[in-house]
Every structure is written in structure tokens, then in C-alpha cells.
């Protein structure tokens, strides 16, 4: 999994937003072809982390290195599209560069949405929009595909279909995938590596290692109330097992 | 009715409508309406500057409009909502402009021309300024068009594609300064943002793509200018406000026509 030069290397990266520290000394390396998932409670800095890697948020400390000529495909959680802006799917697929009509049609067909070119973006359902966003991100054959809570608001079958497609894309194109997600069950199946984040990296490893660690169970709970566990994590922040050997800053107090 | 000054007025108004079209679309898409207002109000400070220092109006207004944009950019994200910042700057600049103009001897009588415009007094020199300004605005926005569209839809997606949204924002700021400087003599500081917003809002129901909306906005803006001029001529009403009334009528018509059509799938808001 770790062949060749890493695509992205974060060493001791810190990020502050409006003067408030959000990320603290993050160490993370992403290699070609691997699927890395970032999980963590609300406000743990997941989106800040991926936006720093994309380059839209400046880091305030440490070093963030991207491989030279790295092509990033970014799939946002949603589009800030104002209803006052008319955009067809076809126009959207041609941003920022014009592409041959055949290429766009093929990409949409592969995404399972043949013939939607003339529909308005704002009129797509949540699942359709996600597939269009992914298809557009893939047009550039990215080295690194970044999904920022890309499945928020989708129902379970749609989420499962979305991750199946991500794995198929990785297999076909060989790109690395970095995703932020709440869908723990599916994430554990689909990822090569899981990073538990809570301002700092709490816990990192293969899904097997992470899911067998007591820290992971404390983090997300054994019961079905996964979302509750996400919140509880913040208040009962102590680890033992493989993830115990690090300092906990503000949470230790 | 084809007097020289009417032809000059129509040419000036059409030039302004063309410049306002692509910019007005972004003003509407990015919810910058209040920002356009604030910049236009600040332009009065530029008028005072130009009168006091005896420098040409056009560059003086551009400098003040760009200073306004820089002030907004540096104050945003420091604990105030952006509409509060715009409200402070807009009204302060308008008031300061009014005070400053009153301190310059011998221009009090002119003030209406800068607040409400005087399209019938447009000279050949003004026409050259307006059309060069319009060409610069259209050229600038055509050059940055795709980058601006993607920055508007998703700043993160734009960054991932190698675009810098903050830099693109300055293309809009510069275009806005140019439009305000060119338009202050035509419709005046108080009504110029009406020419940015109303034609674009009128074009929305007719459009399927961003480019289509820009073209429809230009067409409606030009129709409003010609219709408003004709109405002002026959009714002997003030021309600037009459032009704005004409585009407002077009807004009502296009939106009413759209509401009569059966709602197509894809025009409703579902995000």
C-alpha cells in the first residue's frame, strides 16, 4: 500500500480558524492507491483537515507537502448553489475547463445518470447530485480523490451504493481516496486505513486494528446508538489499549 | 425625438446595461447586492475627492470604490456580520461624501446629478469613458468567467482545480468599481445598484445556463434603458428613476410569465 513517494505528507500540521486552534500537530501520510477515512465527533476538525489538504485553509504550523503535480478531485458535502443561479449538469461538468461532449456523456453514464445533461443542478436529488459531483471530480483522473462528508443526507442504500462506487473507482483508476465520514459500518469495510480525529490524531491504523481496540469502542460505542457515542466521546476522553500512549491536551483537564 | 442628446443618452445607457449584465449576474448569484449598494454610495466620496482636488471623476471614483472593497475584505470575519460591516461603511461613506461635497465651494447645485444621474447631459467624452469602461468590464469577466463560476459554486472545488477564489473576488471588485465610475453620471449613486440587480433578477426565469442569463440580462437592461428614456421623454419625468422603473416593470413581467408556466422539474429549490 505504501509504494513510492507519498501523495500528501503532513508533519506536525496545526491549523487555527479565527484564532482558535482546531488541529494540533497532525501527522498523516497518504500513499497512492489507498483509501483513508477520517472519523471523529462533531467539531473534531475533520472538514478543516481535508480543506487544509485541498489548500483552501492555510496551515498555521508544521509542514504540509503535496507531491509535485498532484491532481486533486474534490467532492464537497453540498454545493452553495443559490437558486438565482441557473446551471445545467452539462455546464457544471465543463467547469472550469470545457470538455468534449462525449467525455461528459460517458462520465455521467458511468455514474448511472445517463442523459441528465440538460437538467438543472439545483433540481437534482441529493443522491443524484452526489453522483454528478463524483463524476465531475473523476473527469480529471485525479491522483487523490477527497470526499468531505459526501454522503451526508443520503439514505443507507444510497450510501452503500456510493461507497461501492468509490471502491470500483479506486480499483479502476488507482487513485488514493481520502474521505470524511459518519457512516462507520460501511467505512470500516471500505477503508484501508482509519484515522480517528479529535483535534489531534487519537488513533490510526487498519480497520481491523482500529475496530478491535478498546479505544475505538469507547469512541463509537458497541450499541446501535452510534451518533450518541460520537457525542459521548468528547466527554469521556481517555484511552487505553493501542491508542492510550499520547497526551490529551485540553481534554485531560 | 431623435435629438443628438437622446441618441447620446441611449448609447450611454446601452453601454451601462452591457457592463452591468455579467457583473449583475454575479452580484445576484453571490448575494452581493448590498455590497454593490455600498460601493455605489461610497462613490459619492469619490465625487467629492474629484471636485476638491480637481482630478477627473472616473479615476477618483474607481480609487474610492476599490478602497471600499479593500475595507470590506479586511473587516470581514472579525466578529461582525458582513451586512453590518457593509451598512457601516456604506452609510458612513455616503454621509462623508455628502458632507465633503458641501464643503467644496460652488457645487451644491450639482449634487443631484451625482445622486440621481443626468443621462441627458452625457457628452461625447462621457460616451468614450462609458464604452471603454464597459469593454473593460466585459473583457475582465469573460477572461475570469469559468474560474468565477466555480468559485461561486464551491470555493473548495475551485481551490482543488488550482483556482484562487480570493483573487477572483478582486476581478468582481474591479469590475464593480468600473461600473460605478461609468454609471454615476447616468443613473446616479443611489440607483446604480438597481441597474446591477434588477435586470439580472428579471433574466433569471428566462435562463438555463449562466451564459444565457448574462445575455438575457444585457437584453433586458438595454430594453429598460430605451423604454425608460422614451417614457421619460413623453412623460417629462426624471430619466434615471424612469429607467429603473422600466427595468422593474420588465422584472414583474418575466417573473409573472414564469409563474404562469407549469413548474418544470428542476426549477424549484431542493438542496
Amino acid at each position: 500500500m505504501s509504494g513510492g513517494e507519498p501523495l500528501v505528507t503532513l508533519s506536525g500540521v496545526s491549523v487555527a480558524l479565527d484564532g482558535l486552534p482546531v488541529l494540533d500537530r497532525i501527522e498523516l501520510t497518504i500513499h497512492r492507491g489507498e483509501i483513508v477515512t477520517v472519523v471523529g465527533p462533531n467539531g473534531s476538525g475533520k472538514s478543516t483537515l481535508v480543506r487544509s489538504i485541498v489548500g483552501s485553509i492555510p496551515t498555521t504550523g508544521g509542514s504540509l507537502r503535496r507531491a509535485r503535480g498532484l491532481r486533486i478531485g474534490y467532492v464537497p458535502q453540498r454545493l452553495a448553489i443559490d437558486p438565482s443561479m441557473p446551471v445545467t449538469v452539462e455546464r457544471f461538468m465543463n467547469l472550469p475547463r470545457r470538455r468534449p461532449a462525449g467525455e461528459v456523456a460517458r462520465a455521467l453514464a458511468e455514474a448511472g445518470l445517463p442523459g441528465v445533461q440538460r437538467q438543472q443542478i439545483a433540481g437534482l436529488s441529493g443522491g443524484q447530485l452526489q453522483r454528478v459531483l463524483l463524476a465531475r471530480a473523476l473527469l480529471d483522473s485525479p491522483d487523490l480523490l477527497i470526499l468531505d462528508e459526501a454522503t451526508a443526507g443520503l439514505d443507507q442504500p444510497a450510501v452503500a451504493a456510493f461507497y461501492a462506487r468509490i471502491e470500483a473507482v479506486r480499483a479502476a483508476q488507482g487513485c488514493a481516496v481520502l474521505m470524511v465520514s459518519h457512516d462507520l459500518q460501511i467505512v470500516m469495510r471500505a477503508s484501508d486505513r482509519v484515522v480517528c480525529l479529535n483535534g489531534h490524531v487519537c488513533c490510526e491504523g487498519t480497520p481491523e486494528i482500529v475496530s478491535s481496540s478498546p479505544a475505538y469502542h469507547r469512541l463509537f460505542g458497541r450499541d446501535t446508538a452510534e451518533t450518541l457515542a460520537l457525542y459521548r466521546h468528547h466527554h469521556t476522553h481517555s484511552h487505553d489499549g493501542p491508542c492510550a500512549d499520547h497526551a490529551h491536551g485540553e481534554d485531560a483537564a | 425625438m431623435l435629438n443628438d442628446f437622446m441618441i447620446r443618452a441611449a448609447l450611454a445607457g446601452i453601454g451601462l446595461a452591457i457592463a452591468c449584465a455579467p457583473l449583475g449576474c454575479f452580484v445576484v448569484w453571490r448575494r452581493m447586492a448590498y455590497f454593490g449598494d455600498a460601493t455605489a454610495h461610497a462613490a459619492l466620496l469619490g465625487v467629492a475627492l474629484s471636485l476638491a482636488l480637481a482630478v477627473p471623476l472616473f479615476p477618483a471614483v474607481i480609487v474610492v470604490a476599490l478602497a471600499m472593497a479593500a475595507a470590506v475584505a479586511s473587516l470581514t470575519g472579525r466578529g461582525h456580520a458582513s451586512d453590518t460591516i457593509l451598512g457601516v461603511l456604506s452609510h458612513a461613506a455616503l454621509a462623508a461624501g455628502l458632507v465633503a461635497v458641501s464643503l467644496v465651494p460652488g457645487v451644491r447645485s450639482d449634487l443631484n446629478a451625482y445622486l440621481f444621474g443626468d443621462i441627458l447631459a452625457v457628452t461625447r467624452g462621457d460616451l468614450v469613458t462609458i464604452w471603454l469602461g464597459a469593454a473593460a468590464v466585459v473583457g475582465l469577466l469573460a477572461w475570469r468567467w469559468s474560474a468565477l463560476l466555480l468559485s461561486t459554486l464551491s470555493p473548495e472545488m475551485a481551490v482543488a482545480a488550482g483556482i484562487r477564489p480570493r483573487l477572483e473576488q478582486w476581478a468582481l471588485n474591479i469590475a464593480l468599481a468600473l461600473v460605478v465610475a461609468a454609471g454615476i453620471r447616468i443613473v446616479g449613486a443611489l440607483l446604480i445598484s438597481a441597474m446591477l440587480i434588477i435586470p439580472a433578477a428579471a433574466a433569471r426565469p428566462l435562463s438555463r445556463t449562466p451564459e444565457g442569463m448574462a445575455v438575457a440580462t444585457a437584453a433586458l437592461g438595454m430594453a429598460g434603458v430605451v423604454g425608460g428614456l422614451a417614457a421619460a421623454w413623453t412623460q417629462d419625468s426624471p430619466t434615471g428613476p424612469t429607467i429603473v422603473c422600466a427595468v422593474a416593470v420588465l422584472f414583474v413581467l418575466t417573473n409573472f410569465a414564469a409563474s404562469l408556466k407549469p413548474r418544470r422539474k428542476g426549477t424549484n429549490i431542493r438542496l
Side-chain angles (χ1 to χ4, degrees), chain B residues 74-130:
Chain B
S74 71
L75 286 174
T76 309
R78 293 196 186 177
H80 292 293
S82 65
D83 58 343
T84 306
I85 291 165
L86 287 173
V88 169
L89 290 173
S90 157
H91 297 122
L94 178 61
L98 289 169
V99 169
V101 169
S102 78
L103 296 179
V104 182
V107 292
R108 195 178 290 263
S109 56
D110 272 345
L111 199 55
N112 268 355
Y114 297 108
L115 283 174
F116 298 106
D118 190 359
I119 195 171
L120 301 180
V122 162
T123 65
R124 279 170 194 277
D126 292 335
L127 270 185
V128 172
T129 308
I130 289 161

Side-chain angles (χ1 to χ4, degrees), chain A residues 51 54-56 72 74 76 79-88 91-92 95-96 118 120 122-124 129 136, chain B residues 28-29 31 77 145-146 149-150 153-154 156-157 159-161 163 204 207-211 213 266 268-271:
Chain A
R51 284 175 198 177
V54 168
S56 70
I72 293 179
Y74 180 78
L79 282 180
I81 186 166
D82 194 275
S84 65
M85 188 174 184
V87 193
T88 59
R91 186 68 191 91
F92 178 70
L95 283 175
R118 289 181 58 77
Q120 289 289 308
L124 298 177
L129 178 64
R136 183 197 159 275
Chain B
V28 168
W29 295 334
R31 303 185 178 197
W145 187 256
S146 282
L149 283 178
L150 193 57
L153 282 167
S154 163
E156 279 79 27
M157 264 166 50
V159 171
I163 293 162
R204 173 62 185 97
S207 317
R208 291 181 39 77
T209 61
E211 293 77 14
M213 183 159 154
N268 51 342
I269 311 144
R270 198 155 16 109
L271 264 180

Side-chain angles (χ1 to χ4, degrees), chain A residues 139-196:
Chain A
L139 277 179
D140 257 339
S141 324
D143 307 302
L144 174 59
L145 186 61
I146 297 185
L147 312 169
D148 187 0
E149 309 217 21
T151 56
L154 301 191
D155 58 17
Q156 279 300 320
V159 169
F162 187 81
Y163 285 118
R165 170 113 176 93
I166 295 294
E167 284 194 272
V169 162
R170 191 266 301 259
Q173 300 199 358
C175 58
V177 181
L178 173 67
M179 52 191 176
V180 166
S181 183
H182 276 132
D183 311 302
L184 294 175
Q185 308 285 337
I186 299 160
V187 158
M188 296 312 265
R189 272 214 311 276
S191 308
D192 297 317
R193 201 142 57 86
V194 177
V195 177
C196 300

Side-chain angles (χ1 to χ4, degrees), chain A residues 36-94:
Chain A
V36 179
T37 301
V38 180
V39 296
N42 286 349
S44 59
K46 302 186 296 291
S47 281
T48 303
L49 177 63
V50 294
R51 284 175 198 177
S52 301
I53 292 171
V54 168
S56 70
I57 294 179
T59 59
T60 45
S63 91
L64 197 165
R65 278 200 312 278
R66 300 178 192 89
R68 215 141 36 103
L70 178 72
R71 284 194 307 274
I72 293 179
Y74 180 78
V75 179
Q77 185 176 338
R78 57 189 186 89
L79 282 180
I81 186 166
D82 194 275
S84 65
M85 188 174 184
V87 193
T88 59
V89 172
E90 177 154 53
R91 186 68 191 91
F92 178 70
M93 295 289 281
N94 284 287

